[in-house]
Amino acid sequence: MARTALDTTVPDLTGRLAVVTGANSGLGFGLTGRLAAAGAEVVMAVRNREKGQRALDELMGQNPDARLRLLDLDLASLASVRSAAQSVFDEDRALDILINNAGIMAVPDRRETADGFELQFGSNHLGPFALTGLLLPALQRAEAPRVVSTASIAANAGRWQWDNLQAEKKYSAWGAYGLSKLSNLVFARELQRLSDLNAWGITSVAAHPGGTATNLQTTGPRDGRAPSARQQKTTERFMQGVDQGILPSLYAATSPDATPGGYYGPNGFLEVRGLPAPARLPRAARDASAAVLLWEASERLTGVHYAEIAESVAR
């Protein structure tokens, strides 16, 4: 039996500023449209500016009153992350909503980011970790800042590999993806714990889209190759559309009832499809010691230290 669906009515977001990563397609595109329709000004953080411009133009065609703009961001490069964060910080405005949505899935062979990290762990976790930390001052300017981390049902199969975070000893496409998504979920929960402990004022929430058909299935496992007609038919049969897939993240980002440190996903069988509801928390995500280890490793690898940044804001 499906769990009771949550109310995804979006409140008036007029005057609010949001940053959505990976906003040119899929979930990011859908979330950008919904936030803009509610009155928010949305910064579309994209890796490919040409694709970003096409997405922006399409959204403006749907909603001529939308307030949208592009921001160059490659989560596989800490230099790009720092540059993007600095651009937002330099505006001297409050950042109300940050949705860490962009990612890559199940790359068939081991690859590295510009900084030498395994591509999935680097792009899916370390990049968003650094971006959020660097945007902490802008978030703390807001009255009720919200950070949403996009996990996946693949987090259920994620396993901690403290001696192989970069998959240098052994690489598994789905193993690396599961680890990165487990890391997204644990990051969201640990960010909330630290925010409460240190009075940072951040509400951190995680969400996953279940089985939602996006270009993630081609850019990752298929290495950019288009699916066959049979594969496309299977996708359409078993996966839900973007309009429904965005709802858990939309709830996490905008609902006044979203639980700080909460986790949301579809309410159907195995959380693959359905309407948003509280999601099942994997056992590995409940390990408090793992959360501390992940945070320490993330700060060491990225050079982004949240406490130092928060302290500089307080001064």
Side-chain angles (χ1 to χ4, degrees):
M1 180 181 295
R3 288 155 294 147
T4 302
L6 298 167
D7 182 6
T8 54
T9 302
V10 180
D12 182 10
L13 300 177
T14 302
R16 305 291 181 88
L17 178 65
V19 171
V20 180
T21 69
N24 62 283
S25 65
L27 299 171
F29 180 85
L31 287 164
T32 297
R34 289 295 298 271
L35 294 176
E41 178 181 349
V42 186
V43 178
M44 302 172 64
V46 299
R47 184 171 58 86
N48 185 307
R49 179 163 279 264
E50 182 180 348
K51 291 181 179 179
Q53 187 62 54
R54 288 201 297 267
L56 187 151
D57 292 342
E58 183 177 346
L59 288 169
M60 291 299 299
Q62 297 171 5
N63 178 11
D65 295 326
R67 301 180 66 196
L68 307 171
R69 52 195 168 91
L70 298 178
L71 175 68
D72 294 315
L73 172 65
D74 182 357
L75 290 167
S77 165
L78 289 178
S80 176
V81 170
R82 290 184 179 277
S83 177
Q86 190 65 47
S87 294
V88 175
F89 176 75
D90 286 345
E91 293 183 14
D92 196 27
R93 292 181 58 189
L95 175 59
D96 299 279
I97 301 170
L98 170 62
I99 302 182
N100 288 313
N101 160 76
I104 190 164
M105 182 175 74
V107 179
D109 51 75
R110 186 184 184 280
R111 302 174 193 178
E112 294 186 348
T113 69
D115 304 284
F117 306 134
E118 186 277 314
L119 184 60
Q120 294 189 79
F121 187 70
S123 300
N124 294 354
H125 170 62
L126 293 176
F129 177 93
L131 179 67
T132 304
L134 293 167
L135 288 176
L136 196 59
L139 288 162
Q140 289 187 296
R141 292 173 183 148
E143 182 179 337
R146 188 83 60 97
V147 176
V148 176
S149 297
T150 306
S152 165
I153 50 178
N156 295 335
R159 297 293 180 268
W160 298 117
Q161 302 175 46
W162 302 115
D163 61 344
N164 193 41
L165 285 179
Q166 305 300 333
E168 293 172 314
K169 296 181 178 180
K170 181 180 179 181
Y171 179 77
S172 161
W174 287 103
Y177 182 65
L179 172 63
S180 72
K181 293 287 105 178
L182 175 61
S183 298
N184 291 153
L185 175 53
V186 169
F187 162 68
R189 288 168 54 81
E190 184 68 358
L191 176 59
Q192 186 62 60
R193 187 186 74 83
L194 291 173
S195 177
D196 292 341
L197 183 65
N198 298 294
W200 292 344
I202 305 293
T203 294
S204 174
V205 189
H208 78 80
T212 298
T214 70
N215 65 356
L216 196 66
Q217 288 82 32
T218 57
T219 56
R222 296 191 53 77
D223 213 13
R225 293 176 286 112
S228 66
R230 182 178 180 180
Q231 289 167 330
Q232 185 63 35
K233 188 175 181 179
T234 299
T235 295
E236 292 172 354
R237 180 180 178 184
F238 291 104
M239 291 189 170
Q240 60 187 2
V242 168
D243 286 350
Q244 188 154 308
I246 65 172
L247 295 180
S249 290
L250 190 67
Y251 180 87
T254 66
S255 175
D257 298 321
T259 302
Y263 184 35
Y264 299 95
N267 66 346
F269 181 65
L270 297 179
E271 300 184 6
V272 174
R273 304 173 63 148
L275 297 172
R280 183 179 75 84
L281 196 64
R283 179 177 297 179
R286 304 173 200 161
D287 186 339
S289 62
V292 173
L293 287 172
L294 178 67
W295 196 275
E296 291 176 346
S298 302
E299 289 196 328
R300 182 178 70 254
L301 291 167
T302 64
V304 176
H305 298 273
Y306 278 59
E308 293 178 6
I309 294 171
E311 185 179 342
S312 69
V313 173
R315 284 200 297 265

